[in-house]
Amino acid sequence: MELDSMNRASPSLDEACESLLLLLREPLSSSGCSSQVRAALRRVDDACGPSLATRTKFAKSQPQLLRAAIRFLTLKRSPAQRATIMGSLARCRCPQCLMYMALEYTEDAPDEAFVLNPKFMTHFIGTFTTLLSLVLVDLTRGRFRNGKSDKSSDAQPWPLEPNDLLPYGMKVSIEGFSGWASGNYGYEPHILQLVGKVASFHLPFCQEVVKPPYKLSAILPLQQLENAMKRYADPSRGDLTERATEFESEVRLASNILQDLGLAIQSNVFFTVDSKRTLSVFKRLLEHLSRLPISRDIFADMIPQFEDYVVIAQSHVDEDEGRIPQLGELLSRITLPSEDDPKEGYNMMVIARRGGCWNISCTADSEGLRTPLCAQCDLIRYCSKRVSASQS
């Protein structure tokens, strides 16, 4: 029998999943404690294993947990309700856990400091957004899973249909996601990553996300990138290396939604809602990334991506200000792939081929993957022959 650091028996996988299922369904009625929840989360982490295939297989094997998780995350709640839920989940109810929690998380009184502990909530939220994302990424866009005649209704694969994917509907789900993504605890980038995966899989949801007021497609991603920089600069959140590792992860998660939306549907709302602020954020992000005290190999793939975002944001600032830059200035903004890095060049070609209309003056609302390829290069796309001809 396994024992945790408190010399108590660790839960079996079935016990862990059952306890987490009850928490998701009734987060305010649990009689457990935070250390028991963490033990259940660790058991799920262990079951997922190190490989993507193992994690995806495990995620698919837990349809009840997936359905409870998506309901938990998409139900519209007030800030006070979310705070009450977080307090209920994170507060310890076992006297023997108090000293352990104080040593692990804070030097303050655990009753006061642990109620809204960011690390606990990041682990909790991140576990379920990851499981949901793994399943969606493994599916073909728009192709829901088939029901199984030998399975009961609650054991059917997830998701079977749009109402199974978003049980409260798209508008309520957007409000529910937005509520969880509006804070500053550290788990919000996980919510944004899941939103991107849902949008990439289900085009109608993506189309709804990129409509005004652009909370999930522009305002909140930008806000969370700024929050990530603030958390990184806060020395109270741990030593520099620890903060750098968390910063890299948060930035990657929060920025993934831009790629997911861009590949799912032609949309530049992120760069147009507040172009000057967007430009400033990505310039500062590049500055932070260039100085991170961790191995550059961990985040090297983000550098060219953010350099491209700076170019796009700058072009929108120029347009807003009625400024037409000279050709030399435009060329100086573009970072070409290294001749010694064919992988980077190949990735740029993949993005180009999967992207939408390449006529930057085109305002048509076109879906990237269904936009015709250029007849001459068979690489980039235009939404119509007329738009393509205007670029010739």
Side-chain angles (χ1 to χ4, degrees):
M1 178 180 292
E2 286 189 60
L3 300 176
D4 64 14
S5 56
M6 296 288 296
N7 292 322
R8 295 178 304 194
S10 297
S12 68
L13 180 59
D14 289 341
E15 290 171 338
C17 291
E18 183 63 26
S19 65
L20 293 174
L21 182 62
L22 293 175
L23 276 175
L24 291 169
R25 289 175 173 173
E26 300 292 339
L28 296 178
S29 63
S30 171
S31 59
C33 73
S34 58
S35 58
Q36 293 172 342
V37 178
R38 284 186 284 112
L41 293 173
R42 286 195 296 268
R43 177 62 74 187
V44 169
D45 291 342
D46 292 341
C48 285
S51 71
L52 176 61
T54 303
R55 294 195 298 271
T56 302
K57 182 179 180 180
F58 173 78
K60 287 184 173 182
S61 73
Q62 301 295 323
Q64 291 187 38
L65 207 57
L66 296 173
R67 288 187 171 92
I70 198 67
R71 285 180 174 274
F72 177 87
L73 295 171
T74 57
L75 178 61
K76 181 181 178 182
R77 294 184 173 97
S78 68
Q81 289 173 321
R82 288 192 298 275
T84 301
I85 288 174
M86 288 190 288
S88 177
L89 291 173
R91 186 183 297 109
C92 181
R93 299 171 180 84
C94 297
Q96 64 265 39
C97 294
L98 295 180
M99 184 175 296
Y100 169 67
M101 286 165 32
L103 291 173
E104 182 175 6
Y105 287 104
T106 177
E107 297 177 355
D108 300 325
D111 282 340
E112 299 174 3
F114 197 72
V115 170
L116 296 180
N117 184 274
K119 292 183 180 180
F120 174 87
M121 288 307 301
T122 299
H123 191 189
F124 184 82
I125 296 290
T127 295
F128 300 114
T129 56
T130 298
L131 293 176
L132 291 162
S133 297
L134 284 168
V135 173
L136 294 174
V137 169
D138 195 57
L139 296 174
T140 301
R141 179 188 296 174
R143 296 286 299 274
F144 290 90
R145 300 187 70 183
N146 296 321
K148 305 292 184 181
S149 58
D150 60 335
K151 299 284 187 181
S152 61
S153 59
D154 61 347
Q156 290 294 323
W158 179 88
L160 294 174
E161 58 181 1
N163 289 338
D164 197 22
L165 175 68
L166 299 169
Y168 300 113
M170 288 191 291
K171 292 186 182 296
V172 172
S173 296
I174 288 175
E175 293 177 344
F177 280 138
S178 297
W180 285 111
S182 298
N184 186 20
Y185 297 103
Y187 60 75
E188 296 81 6
H190 291 274
I191 300 292
L192 293 176
Q193 182 196 39
L194 175 59
V195 170
K197 302 312 176 189
V198 175
S200 182
F201 171 73
H202 191 43
L203 183 59
F205 177 74
C206 182
Q207 293 170 329
E208 199 68 32
V209 165
V210 298
K211 292 179 180 178
Y214 311 116
K215 287 195 72 174
L216 287 174
S217 56
I219 296 173
L220 289 176
L222 196 63
Q223 174 184 310
Q224 291 308 323
L225 290 171
E226 291 178 318
N227 287 345
M229 287 188 281
K230 292 177 183 177
R231 289 190 288 268
Y232 175 53
D234 182 1
S236 68
R237 296 184 65 88
D239 62 45
L240 186 59
T241 301
E242 180 183 2
R243 298 195 325 261
T245 301
E246 292 179 352
F247 172 74
E248 185 276 335
S249 175
E250 292 173 3
V251 170
R252 184 180 297 278
L253 290 169
S255 60
N256 276 347
I257 190 174
L258 306 184
Q259 287 186 315
D260 288 329
L261 293 178
L263 294 177
I265 189 172
Q266 182 68 15
S267 173
N268 286 324
V269 296
F270 182 87
F271 299 97
T272 58
V273 171
D274 191 341
S275 58
K276 286 187 176 180
R277 180 184 173 194
T278 302
L279 178 61
S280 173
V281 166
F282 279 116
K283 283 185 174 180
R284 284 184 285 145
L285 281 172
L286 279 172
E287 182 71 16
H288 281 304
L289 287 173
S290 67
R291 298 180 179 180
L292 284 185
I294 56 178
S295 172
R296 189 178 177 88
D297 293 340
I298 298 175
F299 58 88
D301 60 311
M302 288 198 293
I303 300 293
Q305 174 189 346
F306 285 176
E307 288 174 341
D308 290 344
Y309 289 162
V310 167
V311 173
I312 296 172
Q314 183 65 64
S315 68
H316 285 288
V317 170
D318 293 338
E319 183 178 349
D320 292 342
E321 296 178 346
R323 179 173 174 270
I324 302 177
Q326 299 297 314
L327 178 60
E329 182 181 348
L330 287 173
L331 292 175
S332 68
R333 299 176 184 173
I334 301 174
T335 302
L336 296 176
S338 168
E339 293 181 1
D340 298 325
D341 190 0
K343 180 178 178 181
E344 183 180 346
Y346 173 77
N347 288 337
M348 291 182 67
M349 292 175 66
V350 170
I351 293 173
R353 189 178 177 89
R354 296 183 67 186
C357 182
W358 270 63
N359 186 334
I360 60 174
S361 63
C362 177
T363 58
D365 183 13
S366 58
E367 183 191 351
L369 291 178
R370 296 179 184 174
T371 303
L373 284 164
C374 174
Q376 296 184 28
C377 70
D378 194 41
L379 175 63
I380 61 177
R381 297 177 181 272
Y382 294 102
C383 63
S384 67
K385 291 182 178 180
R386 177 183 59 79
V387 172
S388 176
S390 68
Q391 292 289 97
S392 301

